[in-house]
C-alpha cells in the first residue's frame, strides 16, 4: 500500500518485548526496564495476526526487534508463525547477539532469513562499560554460531559515539574488508538516553577511511567498500541526512501500538482488533505517516518512548 506521499510501505518492524538482556547506556535506563504484566504485551498469536494483517496491506519484509527479541518467551513460535505467512518474503531479526550461540540454529530452522547484530565496540572493557552488564565474548560466540547456522550477509549495527568508539572506526571497517558482512554505522539519535553531546556525523567514517569507495544501491544506508573488501560499510544517517523520502516502514511496539514514524508520538492501538478492523487500523497508520521526522542534532525526538520500547 502507498502512503499519502506515494511511498510504498512494505516493511514492518515488530517489537516482541521491551525487555533487554543488556542496558546500553544510550538506550536503556540505568535501573533497567521494569517487567510488565505479560497481559500488557502482545501474545504470540496476536503478533502473528498483526504480521498477517500487515502482509494483507502490502508488507513483504518483517523484522523482529525489541528490547531484545531473544529474551522473549515463545520467540521461536513467533518466528515460525510469521515465516509461514504467504507473502512474507523476508523474516529478519535484530539482536544484541548475547543469546545467539544457543539460538542461531533454532532461529534458522524457525524460518529467520537474516540477522542484524548490534555491536558498538570490539573491546571487552568498553563493551562491559557501554552495556553495563554484557560480555563481548558472548557476542563473538553468537556471531560464530550464526555463521555456522548458515546466516549469510549478516549486518553489524554500530552506533557512533564521540569519545567512545570513534577510534574504532578503522577496526570495524577492516572487519568488513576481511569478512562478507556489512558493518553499518548509525548516527546516535536524541531519543531515550541518547545524548546529543556524543553525536558524531556518519561522514566521520569517510574522513577516517578515505579508501572507501561508494557502491550503488537503494535503501536507508549509503554503502561503501574497501578496495578488495569482502563486505560492505553502510552509513545510516537519520540526523545529518534525512532518508524519510524513501522510508518504507511501519513499526509496532510490543504493547501493540502502530507507530507510523519512529520520531512521532502518534500511535494507533491494534490490540483487540481482528480481521478487517485490524487491517483498517494498519491502513490508517500507513496513511498517517508524516512526510518526514521533525528532529535535528539539537532537538529531542518526539517519539514519546525510549528506543527499547520501539525497537529501533
Ligand atoms: N536488542 C536488539 C539489538 O540490540 O539490536 C534490538 C533492539 S535495539 C533498541 C535496536 C537498535 O537500536 C540497536 O542497534 C541499538 O544500538 C539502536 N539504538 C538504541 N538507541 C539508539 C539511539 N539513541 N540512537 C541510535 N540507535 C539507537
Amino acid at each position: 500500500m502507498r502512503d499519502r506521499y506515494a511511498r510504498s510501505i512494505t516493511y514492518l518492524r515488530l517489537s516482541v518485548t521491551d525487555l533487554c538482556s543488556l542496558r546500553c547506556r544510550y538506550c536503556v535506563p540505568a535501573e533497567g526496564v521494569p517487567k510488565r504484566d505479560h497481559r500488557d504485551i502482545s501474545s504470540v498469536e496476536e503478533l502473528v495476526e498483526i504480521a498477517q494483517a500487515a502482509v494483507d496491506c502490502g508488507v513483504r519484509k518483517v523484522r523482529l526487534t525489541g528490547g531484545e527479541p531473544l529474551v522473549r518467551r515463545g520467540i521461536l513460535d513467533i518466528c515460525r508463525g510469521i515465516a509461514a505467512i504467504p507473502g512474507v518474503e523476508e523474516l529478519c531479526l535484530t539482536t544484541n547477539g548475547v543469546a545467539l550461540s544457543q539460538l542461531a540454529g533454532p532461529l534458522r530452522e524457525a524460518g529467520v532469513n537474516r540477522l542484524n547484530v548490534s555491536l558498538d565496540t570490539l573491546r571487552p572493557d568498553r563493551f562491559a562499560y557501554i552495556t553495563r552488564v554484557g560480555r563481548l565474548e558472548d557476542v563473538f560466540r553468537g556471531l560464530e554460531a550464526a555463521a555456522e547456522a548458515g546466516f549469510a550477509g549478516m549486518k553489524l549495527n554500530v552506533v557512533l559515539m564521540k569519545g567512545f568508539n570513534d577510534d574504532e572506526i578503522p577496526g570495524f571497517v577492516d572487519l568488513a574488508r576481511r569478512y562478507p558482512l556489512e558493518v553499518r554505522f548509525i548516527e546516535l539519535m536524541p531519543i531515550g538516553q541518547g545524548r546529543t553531546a556524543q553525536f558524531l556525523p556518519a561522514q566521520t567514517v569517510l574522513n577516517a577511511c578515505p579508501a572507501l569507495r561508494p557502491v550503488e544501491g537503494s535503501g536507508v544506508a549509503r554503502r561503501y567498500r574497501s578496495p578488495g573488501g569482502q563486505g560492505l560499510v553502510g552509513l545510516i544517517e537519520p540526523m545529518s541526512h534525512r532518508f524519510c523520502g524513501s522510508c518504507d516502514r511501519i513499526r509496532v511496539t510490543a504493547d501493540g501500538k502502530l507507530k507510523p514514524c519512529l520520531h512521532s508520538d502518534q500511535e494507533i492501538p491494534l490490540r483487540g482488533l481482528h480481521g478487517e478492523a485490524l487491517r483498517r487500523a494498519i491502513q490508517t497508520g500507513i496513511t498517517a505517516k508524516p512526510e518526514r521526522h521533525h528532529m535535528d542534532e539539537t532537538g529531542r525526538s518526539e517519539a514519546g518512548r525510549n528506543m527499547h520500547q520501539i525497537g529501533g
Side-chain angles (χ1 to χ4, degrees):
M1 176 181 165
R2 286 188 183 272
D3 71 3
R4 283 179 298 162
Y5 303 98
R7 293 171 298 199
S8 184
I9 307 305
T10 54
Y11 178 14
L12 167 67
R13 295 182 65 103
L14 185 57
S15 174
V16 297
T17 178
D18 55 8
L19 298 175
C20 191
S21 43
L22 299 181
R23 287 192 212 156
C24 295
R25 289 172 188 267
Y26 56 89
C27 187
V28 175
E31 62 279 13
V33 182
K35 200 164 185 315
R36 296 208 270 177
D37 192 308
H38 75 274
R39 284 170 298 197
D40 295 337
I41 298 296
S42 300
S43 66
V44 172
E45 294 73 23
E46 284 174 307
L47 289 165
V48 176
E49 201 178 352
I50 288 170
Q52 171 70 68
V55 168
D56 294 342
C57 297
V59 160
R60 295 289 169 260
K61 169 176 168 181
V62 178
R63 175 177 303 283
L64 301 179
T65 178
E68 170 51 41
L70 301 191
V71 303
R72 168 68 202 247
R73 189 177 293 170
I75 184 63
L76 296 175
D77 294 329
I78 296 168
C79 294
R80 277 185 217 104
I82 296 178
I85 297 172
V88 171
E89 291 168 9
E90 266 188 278
L91 175 59
C92 314
L93 186 140
T94 297
T95 172
N96 59 29
V98 168
L100 257 189
S101 62
Q102 302 102 58
L103 283 172
L107 285 170
R108 187 111 184 101
E109 282 162 23
V112 176
N113 309 113
R114 284 187 176 276
L115 285 181
N116 285 14
V117 178
S118 302
L119 183 59
D120 300 325
T121 174
L122 299 171
R123 289 187 33 175
D125 55 334
R126 289 186 183 174
F127 188 81
Y129 169 79
I130 199 77
T131 64
R132 289 195 180 99
V133 291
R135 291 188 316 172
L136 185 59
E137 65 204 67
D138 293 340
V139 183
F140 285 161
R141 272 210 305 276
L143 286 169
E144 276 167 22
E148 274 164 28
F151 283 105
M154 270 193 289
K155 292 178 181 160
L156 280 193
N157 290 341
V158 184
V159 176
L160 284 168
M161 284 169 275
K162 195 190 291 175
F164 175 68
N165 59 5
D166 32 359
D167 60 341
E168 293 191 61
I169 292 171
F172 274 113
V173 168
D174 194 51
L175 213 55
R177 188 183 60 77
R178 290 187 287 130
Y179 297 99
L181 48 78
E182 181 172 335
V183 171
R184 306 204 312 172
F185 293 100
I186 302 173
E187 289 177 344
L188 180 68
M189 292 179 259
I191 178 172
Q193 318 301 307
R195 296 287 164 257
T196 47
Q198 279 197 295
F199 171 78
L200 206 57
Q203 181 66 30
T204 313
V205 174
L206 301 182
N207 299 343
C209 304
L212 286 171
R213 291 287 164 263
V215 173
E216 287 294 309
S218 57
V220 295
R222 283 200 279 159
R223 291 203 168 83
Y224 299 82
R225 194 190 293 278
S226 295
Q230 295 203 54
L232 293 170
V233 170
L235 305 186
I236 303 200
E237 301 154 284
M239 306 303 295
S240 49
H241 163 91
R242 288 205 180 90
F243 43 65
C244 303
S246 57
C247 182
D248 58 357
R249 58 196 64 186
I250 48 174
R251 296 173 165 82
V252 175
T253 62
D255 55 0
K257 306 275 170 47
L258 187 154
K259 286 186 86 68
C261 169
L262 170 60
H263 295 296
S264 150
D265 62 0
Q266 191 177 5
E267 297 187 347
I268 291 137
L270 302 182
R271 290 194 81 195
L273 302 179
H274 305 280
E276 190 50 31
L278 182 55
R279 282 191 287 277
R280 268 205 310 275
I282 291 173
Q283 286 158 2
T284 302
I286 292 176
T287 310
K289 257 183 93 64
E291 189 173 13
R292 64 179 186 82
H293 60 242
H294 297 273
M295 185 188 59
D296 56 27
E297 285 103 279
T298 56
R300 295 293 300 167
S301 166
E302 295 162 11
R305 289 181 184 243
N306 273 7
M307 201 69 134
H308 68 88
Q309 296 169 312
I310 306 173

